Amino acid sequence: MLDAVKPVGSAAIAAARARLQGLALVTPLVDCDAAPVGKSVRLKLENLQAIGSFKIRPIGNAVLSKAQPDLDRGIYTTSSGNSALGVAWMARRLGISATAVVPTNAPEAKLQKLRTLGARIDMRSNEEWWRAIEAGALPDQEGVYIDAVRDAASVAGDATVGLEVFEEWPDVEAILVPFGGGGLACGIGCALRELQSNVKVIACELASAHPLKAAFDAGAPVKTPHDPGFVSGVGYGCVLPEMWPLARSVIDSVILVSLGEVAAAIRVMAEHNRVIAEGAGAVSVAAALSGRYPQSKVCAVVSGGNLDSQMLTTILAGSVPI
């Protein structure tokens, strides 16, 4: 087991913001006019980033924190898609090699983007891939491992999302965040803590794949049955143990949503906001549309928009992809 991830402070977050200038967009907050009655919901559009995902923030900051001689050896990561896209994008920008270690169920839309960016794809069984994530490395890979979740620089990069939301909407009462590896929710929580804010961080998971809710209920990470369906990037079998102490301290609660609610949220964003979100990116929006929270002013982070076109067609037709 790796060391527990520590909270990041204001100096690290400010350094991340400086490094990310010119790499990551300051993404807009837009109103969601389909919000439940009595609720004000705004969407933080991280799907508009260059790689279609917030992952440019943690990956970009982590890569730029490494020494140049190490980077010259190349970089790699284990990812279901978006972290790998961040690594590939950074590698192309810096003129170094990149390898994406992906599971067999990685979405084809993301694999095609990886190929376009010039990354080498190393596909492993889901079990081997998850073991590599737990270990934080693969001994048979060349280069520097980029951890999009547990590296302090990654958490600081994620924290910049929280800063931007709070600066643009200081009256926000809760930020709803998809929970996958936990870096984004924990980073936002760290930023709000440094701001001495009372804004709540609400993690959002699937009813059919909810390791964080299970950990909250058990008081520790536990292995859980998981069936994320068409939603990749969330709902892994267990909370990473080294993320648990930080997650427990900065995340206030968890909302569970169904796959049907996620599909409906994708449809709402496409029809009302002309925004395309992938399944993981829409989990938080589904939670916001559910109204299952006491706050009246909430921000839902749309963490990514790399959705397969066939899935989008199915969803817009009113069905849930199988």
Side-chain angles (χ1 to χ4, degrees):
M1 177 175 158
L2 304 177
D3 292 337
V5 178
K6 302 287 195 302
V8 293
S10 55
I13 299 170
R17 172 176 265 186
R19 285 194 193 98
L20 292 172
Q21 286 187 350
L23 288 177
L25 298 174
V26 177
T27 52
L29 277 180
V30 300
D31 289 328
C32 177
D33 60 12
V37 175
K39 307 284 188 182
S40 177
V41 174
R42 296 185 188 178
L43 311 178
K44 177 67 168 168
L45 299 183
E46 286 295 296
N47 59 310
L48 298 182
Q49 296 290 358
I51 60 169
S53 164
F54 81 97
K55 288 288 188 179
I56 195 61
R57 297 179 188 259
I59 293 291
N61 195 45
V63 169
L64 295 178
S65 299
K66 307 300 181 187
Q68 189 60 49
D70 293 330
L71 293 177
D72 289 341
R73 295 164 45 214
I75 54 180
Y76 75 97
T77 196
T78 46
S79 165
S80 61
N82 284 338
S83 292
L85 287 172
V87 163
W89 193 84
M90 287 299 298
R92 189 173 71 167
R93 184 182 180 94
L94 297 175
I96 59 178
S97 64
T99 298
V101 181
V102 302
T104 52
N105 64 346
E108 180 57 35
K110 295 178 183 179
L111 294 177
Q112 185 55 49
K113 288 185 178 183
L114 286 171
R115 297 185 188 102
T116 300
L117 288 169
R120 185 177 76 89
I121 296 174
D122 181 355
M123 189 169 287
R124 307 285 181 116
S125 70
N126 287 16
E127 293 76 16
E128 187 178 9
W129 173 78
W130 183 250
R131 286 197 299 270
I133 287 181
E134 290 178 319
L138 265 175
D140 59 359
Q141 290 293 336
E142 292 290 334
V144 178
Y145 181 73
I146 304 298
D147 193 321
V149 176
R150 294 165 294 194
D151 189 323
S154 295
V155 178
D158 288 322
T160 61
V161 176
L163 282 187
E164 290 177 13
V165 172
F166 189 80
E167 289 171 353
E168 184 166 347
W169 195 14
D171 292 336
V172 65
E173 297 169 359
I175 302 179
L176 279 60
V177 192
F179 190 91
L184 181 58
C186 288
I188 290 172
C190 287
L192 295 173
R193 173 185 286 182
E194 288 298 306
L195 291 166
Q196 298 183 339
S197 164
N198 292 322
V199 178
K200 303 301 183 185
V201 177
I202 301 176
C204 305
E205 295 186 297
L206 296 169
S208 56
H210 53 269
L212 183 64
K213 178 64 163 59
F216 273 16
D217 291 344
V222 291
K223 290 187 176 181
T224 58
H226 56 289
D227 178 16
F230 74 94
V231 180
S232 65
V234 297
Y236 305 125
C238 184
V239 174
L240 293 165
E242 50 273 20
M243 290 301 296
W244 170 242
L246 182 57
R248 180 175 52 187
S249 69
V250 300
I251 296 174
D252 296 284
S253 60
V254 182
I255 292 176
L256 303 183
V257 296
S258 69
L259 289 169
E261 287 177 306
V262 175
I266 292 172
R267 195 158 50 247
V268 164
M269 282 185 279
E271 294 174 349
H272 290 251
N273 296 96
R274 301 299 184 263
V275 166
I276 302 302
E278 62 190 76
V283 168
S284 57
V285 181
L289 296 178
S290 76
R292 295 194 287 270
Y293 46 86
Q295 296 81 12
S296 60
K297 299 176 182 177
V298 304
C299 169
V301 179
V302 183
S303 58
N306 294 310
L307 182 65
D308 181 272
S309 58
Q310 291 184 336
M311 284 189 183
L312 178 60
T313 299
T314 298
I315 290 168
L316 293 180
S319 300
V320 178
I322 298 174

